[in-house]
Amino acid sequence: MEIKLTNLANSEIELEGEIASADFDAKRDSALKRLQTQVKIDGFREGHVPETVLENKLGSERILLEMAELALAEWYPKIVAEKKLDVIGRPEITITKIAKGNPLGFKIKTALAPKLTLPDYRTIAREINKGREKKEPEVSAEEVKKVLEEITKNQKENKETKLPTEDEVKKYLLEEKTRKAHEKNRLSLIDALANAITLEIPPILIENELEKMVAEMKNDITVMGLKFEDYLKHLKKTEADLKKDWQAGARKRIVTALALTEIGVKENLKASEKELKPHLKTLTLEHQDADPARLRAYLENALANEKTLQFLESLV
């Protein structure tokens, strides 16, 4: 496959080429099978809609676009590997030519991973850890009493609620204070690390991160039983307003993720197969339709980042 690579500004690149007609047409059966599970048509069981009926219902263009998605999902990683590109973030794909029995034309805009120069992260971590609260958290009798009074008040509305003991309340409050103290120190570490790094971040990477942040908020709002649109009205903001407000936060998240990965590689911090196995089993059950390779990569990265943060927190 002939690929034209064009360097753009801000570490972005554009890949332009064509997937051969034979390779593109080979995705038709897979595209039809996937669409059969997504489309419900009266009189046919899920997954058993005949091709002609499916094409009449959806139109040939929808099938071609599904084929294109499958073909590019296969060939994009191959192109990246062949060109030895260190890409990062979700690519922007434009179909330039699509027709049955013809090559699939495309343009892909993506970003190269920014070249990161790590600061003296060991010294930074030690300085932050010096300011960490040394005393064990304490819980006063007044705090326990206040919580018990609140629980008792709520119990009148729900008589089935069992009143906890003073020791149980004290244990809970101690755990909460310990967790909050740990989070505070970790955030200080992350802030100090991010602030010590100057990095030109490709706009496409910022936009990808902002999309991720919006998706996370939508999920949180939905879990609370609210509608995202209603929440935006309450804030008197649009989704575009949120993205504008979150620019600095998105940058910090990207810089932190890149820095933790670099430090993890430098310090050889990664999860063992024994550590991965139970988490991977749980994650696979929760996301049965997800690509196993992607789930594993996500988990490896998450556990490696946690090990890196623990390493930084241990420096004194």
Side-chain angles (χ1 to χ4, degrees):
M1 184 190 298
E2 288 293 324
I3 296 293
K4 179 185 175 185
L5 191 156
T6 305
N7 289 305
L8 307 175
N10 302 311
S11 299
E12 292 182 342
I13 59 169
E14 182 182 78
L15 302 167
E16 184 176 1
E18 291 184 349
I19 294 174
S21 56
D23 294 319
F24 177 47
D25 289 341
K27 295 299 176 185
R28 186 172 178 82
D29 286 346
S30 299
L32 289 169
K33 284 178 183 177
R34 193 155 83 168
L35 287 169
Q36 282 174 334
T37 63
Q38 297 172 0
V39 179
K40 292 182 180 179
I41 298 178
D42 292 340
F44 297 96
R45 287 184 295 135
E46 184 180 301
H48 292 79
V49 181
E51 180 180 334
T52 52
V53 176
L54 193 66
E55 190 161 2
N56 286 336
K57 175 74 175 178
L58 301 177
S60 58
E61 186 179 353
R62 172 75 185 277
I63 295 171
L64 287 170
L65 288 173
E66 197 75 21
M67 290 165 60
E69 185 177 325
L70 290 169
L72 286 163
E74 177 186 336
W75 283 93
Y76 176 60
K78 291 180 181 179
I79 295 167
V80 167
E82 184 185 325
K83 296 288 184 182
K84 297 179 180 178
L85 301 171
D86 188 10
V87 298
I88 191 168
R90 188 173 65 250
E92 290 180 6
I93 298 173
T94 304
I95 303 298
T96 58
K97 183 172 71 175
I98 185 168
K100 188 176 180 180
N102 285 275
L104 174 70
F106 63 87
K107 284 184 180 180
I108 301 175
K109 183 180 175 184
T110 190
L112 298 176
K115 299 302 178 185
L116 179 72
T117 302
L118 284 173
D120 185 354
Y121 55 87
R122 286 173 173 258
T123 298
I124 290 171
R126 288 191 181 101
E127 286 299 315
I128 295 297
N129 293 334
K130 275 182 189 176
R132 186 164 50 199
E133 183 63 52
K134 303 298 185 222
K135 290 194 308 178
E136 288 295 318
E138 296 177 354
V139 174
S140 68
E142 188 61 33
E143 287 175 305
V144 173
K145 182 183 176 183
K146 187 177 179 181
V147 171
L148 279 170
E149 285 175 351
E150 189 65 31
I151 294 173
T152 303
K153 180 182 175 183
N154 293 334
Q155 192 182 36
K156 291 176 182 177
E157 300 171 15
N158 184 2
K159 294 180 180 179
E160 294 180 6
T161 304
K162 183 184 175 183
L163 197 67
T165 64
E166 289 187 9
D167 285 342
E168 286 173 333
V169 171
K170 185 175 182 179
K171 182 184 176 184
Y172 167 76
L173 291 175
L174 277 171
E175 287 174 350
E176 269 298 285
K177 286 191 174 186
T178 302
R179 181 184 63 79
K180 286 181 179 178
H182 177 251
E183 284 181 357
K184 182 181 178 182
N185 187 71
R186 179 166 283 194
L187 284 172
S188 296
L189 251 176
I190 289 170
D191 285 347
L193 195 60
N195 291 337
I197 295 171
T198 301
L199 191 65
E200 190 70 37
I201 301 175
I204 191 172
L205 204 52
I206 294 282
E207 184 57 33
N208 284 348
E209 195 63 33
L210 289 169
E211 288 288 345
K212 197 185 300 182
M213 291 166 77
V214 169
E216 289 168 1
M217 174 174 265
K218 284 181 179 178
N219 182 66
D220 292 343
I221 297 299
T222 303
V223 167
M224 289 190 290
L226 303 173
K227 290 184 178 178
F228 185 61
E229 295 77 12
D230 293 340
Y231 184 71
L232 287 178
K233 286 178 184 176
H234 174 72
L235 293 178
K236 295 181 180 178
K237 287 181 180 289
T238 63
E239 192 171 307
D241 292 331
L242 291 182
K243 287 183 177 181
K244 188 176 179 181
D245 294 343
W246 291 347
Q247 288 282 328
R251 182 191 181 282
K252 184 183 289 185
R253 281 174 44 144
I254 294 166
V255 171
T256 301
L258 291 170
L260 290 178
T261 298
E262 264 321 285
I263 295 169
V265 169
K266 196 169 182 180
E267 299 290 343
N268 195 29
L269 299 165
K270 56 185 178 181
S272 65
E273 193 62 35
K274 186 178 179 181
E275 290 170 316
L276 278 168
K277 197 171 181 180
H279 294 290
L280 192 57
K281 185 178 180 181
T282 302
L283 205 60
T284 303
L285 287 172
E286 291 175 352
H287 306 276
Q288 295 182 19
D289 295 333
D291 178 5
R294 287 189 179 184
L295 282 182
R296 184 182 180 88
Y298 164 79
L299 190 57
E300 285 176 340
N301 183 63
L303 293 180
N305 283 350
E306 179 59 29
K307 277 180 174 284
T308 302
L309 284 165
Q310 289 174 3
F311 162 74
L312 293 171
E313 289 166 338
S314 71
L315 295 172
V316 293

